[in-house]
Amino acid sequence: MTGIYDDQFVNRLQQGVLQLAPRWGAGAEASVRLLTLSENATFLLEQPDKEPLVIRVHRPDYHSRAEIASELNWIQTLRDNQVVTTPALIPLDDGSFIASFDDQGQTRYVVAFAFMPGTEPDADANLIPGFELLGATSARLHQQASAWTLPPAFQRKTWNFDSAFGAQPLWGDWRAAPGLTPAGQDTLERLCQRLQQRLANYGETPDRFGLVHADLRLANLLVNDKQLAVIDFDDCGFSWFMYDFAAAISFYETSPLVPELQQAWLRGYCSVQPLADEHIQMIPDFILFRRLLLTAWIASHPETETAAAAGHETYTQGTVELAQQWLNQQETNQ
């Protein structure tokens, strides 16, 4: 499917990273190979007798330099305070952390992280203990974010109804989703109307809305000897704290394990700080919010490995089915 990450574009990015490699101390024998294509392009910088580096080339026209600097600021603060295990930032030869190169007249921003061993958790019953640990990790992140005085220049995106589904949606319009039928669009329009009302009633006060990771899905977790590390803060921004659970089950929203995963996550969360019922009761809303947001993302990022794994049209159909179930439940509860 069409998209920005065609072979020529990826090759240009790879060459740009290779040109920057000496600024991270890499020698002439260094090599660069593609790891993943999702929102950004991620490469592995390897050289003999040295630990590899993970290099992230930011997607054009998504985050500003100030937003990237703010992400890195939060990561370093979390590391300094031992809030979460996450890879170290790797500085350039001048001590800065954001590199760039020119790509046909456009600036591409690049950051480097230490390589961290571990594997992505499997989506099976063994996830349940891990989700309890993830819940505790999420609570610690929310505690730190709530207590932290943001630096004056801190800039990150906001993930709320308007930014997700308003006039200028951050990830595109879900109405462009592959395989969306008129009947399906009608169902999702009704979902939007109901979600907008319920989220407005819930509100965005500081006890429920703040700085969050916003993408704690399995692909951004690393398990190594029963230790959980969190990677990829690229989507971190301001949203509802319970949205972090919805993000954690991204692409597995229809799994029969979701209720058990939710209970495990809540056990872990409440072992760190209490959670009022009004927040817990909103979790199904955030699951649908995230699902619709991902449906829009797949429509605007069709060429990525993530979109292909989700199934394009299959994912759209699943979104419509989940939306109808949620709407039916809402009618029952009225």
Side-chain angles (χ1 to χ4, degrees), residues 16 56 62 73 106 112 130-131 167 201 239 241 297 313 326:
R56 185 175 71 191
Y62 186 44
N73 190 324
Q106 289 189 298
F131 258 65
N201 290 340
S239 190
F241 293 129
W297 187 91
E313 293 188 9
W326 185 84

Side-chain angles (χ1 to χ4, degrees), residues 163-224:
S163 67
F165 310 122
Q168 295 181 306
L170 289 173
W171 280 351
D173 190 347
W174 58 261
R175 295 167 186 84
L180 184 63
T181 65
Q185 179 170 337
D186 178 68
T187 298
L188 297 185
E189 294 285 6
R190 289 188 288 118
L191 169 68
C192 266
Q193 293 172 5
R194 186 67 175 142
L195 271 179
Q196 185 174 24
Q197 179 185 42
R198 285 181 56 81
L199 293 172
N201 290 340
Y202 182 60
E204 299 178 9
T205 52
D207 65 325
R208 61 200 62 192
F209 195 97
L211 183 60
V212 298
H213 183 282
D215 198 20
L216 288 171
R217 58 193 178 95
L218 299 186
N220 291 332
L221 304 175
L222 288 176
V223 176
N224 185 32

Side-chain angles (χ1 to χ4, degrees), residues 62-89:
Y62 186 44
H63 287 310
S64 67
R65 193 182 191 285
E67 288 175 326
I68 297 168
S70 298
E71 174 204 352
L72 302 186
N73 190 324
W74 191 32
I75 290 172
Q76 191 59 55
T77 300
L78 292 170
R79 284 180 52 82
D80 289 345
N81 291 280
Q82 299 181 329
V83 176
V84 66
T85 301
T86 193
L89 307 173

Side-chain angles (χ1 to χ4, degrees), residues 20-303:
L20 287 171
R23 298 203 58 195
W24 291 294
E29 295 181 343
S31 63
V32 174
R33 62 181 176 90
L34 180 67
L35 282 180
T36 60
L37 289 175
S38 189
E39 188 67 52
N40 307 304
T42 305
F43 298 89
L44 194 67
L45 174 60
E46 298 175 291
Q47 55 182 323
D49 303 321
K50 287 189 177 181
E51 290 294 321
L53 300 182
V54 176
I55 310 296
R56 185 175 71 191
V57 183
H58 281 260
R59 189 181 186 90
D61 303 319
Y62 186 44
H63 287 310
S64 67
R65 193 182 191 285
E67 288 175 326
I68 297 168
S70 298
E71 174 204 352
L72 302 186
N73 190 324
W74 191 32
I75 290 172
Q76 191 59 55
T77 300
L78 292 170
R79 284 180 52 82
D80 289 345
N81 291 280
Q82 299 181 329
V83 176
V84 66
T85 301
T86 193
L89 307 173
I90 304 300
L92 295 153
D93 50 7
D94 62 358
S96 64
F97 290 96
I98 303 176
S100 65
F101 63 88
D102 178 82
D103 173 40
Q104 298 186 344
Q106 289 189 298
T107 300
R108 300 287 177 248
Y109 294 116
V110 187
V111 296
F113 300 90
F115 179 81
M116 179 169 282
T119 57
E120 176 184 333
D122 292 326
D124 57 26
N126 293 326
L127 265 184
I128 294 170
F131 258 65
E132 190 163 344
L133 182 57
L134 180 59
T137 300
S138 301
R140 287 194 295 272
L141 284 169
H142 299 165
Q143 276 188 333
Q144 186 277 338
S146 296
W148 190 34
T149 300
L150 296 178
F154 195 90
Q155 297 180 30
R156 291 301 296 177
K157 289 178 168 53
T158 296
W159 299 100
N160 60 11
F161 187 88
D162 183 64
S163 67
F165 310 122
Q168 295 181 306
L170 289 173
W171 280 351
D173 190 347
W174 58 261
R175 295 167 186 84
L180 184 63
T181 65
Q185 179 170 337
D186 178 68
T187 298
L188 297 185
E189 294 285 6
R190 289 188 288 118
L191 169 68
C192 266
Q193 293 172 5
R194 186 67 175 142
L195 271 179
Q196 185 174 24
Q197 179 185 42
R198 285 181 56 81
L199 293 172
N201 290 340
Y202 182 60
E204 299 178 9
T205 52
D207 65 325
R208 61 200 62 192
F209 195 97
L211 183 60
V212 298
H213 183 282
D215 198 20
L216 288 171
R217 58 193 178 95
L218 299 186
N220 291 332
L221 304 175
L222 288 176
V223 176
N224 185 32
D225 193 25
K226 297 183 180 180
Q227 292 187 339
L228 181 69
V230 176
I231 62 174
D232 195 0
F233 282 70
D234 182 58
D235 288 326
C236 72
F238 301 97
S239 190
W240 296 277
F241 293 129
M242 293 301 98
Y243 175 67
D244 265 345
F245 173 77
I249 60 166
S250 294
F251 305 110
Y252 297 100
E253 304 92 344
T254 59
S255 168
L257 287 173
V258 167
E260 290 182 81
L261 295 176
Q262 179 176 322
Q263 289 305 311
W265 189 87
L266 288 171
R267 284 195 302 273
Y269 197 101
C270 293
S271 72
V272 175
Q273 66 175 7
L275 200 55
D277 285 345
E278 64 171 323
H279 306 313
I280 297 172
Q281 291 168 3
M282 287 296 293
I283 288 177
D285 299 65
F286 294 122
I287 292 174
L288 267 295
F289 178 96
R290 173 70 171 185
R291 177 79 187 210
L292 189 60
L293 187 58
L294 287 175
T295 303
W297 187 91
I298 288 171
S300 59
H301 299 66
E303 81 283 11

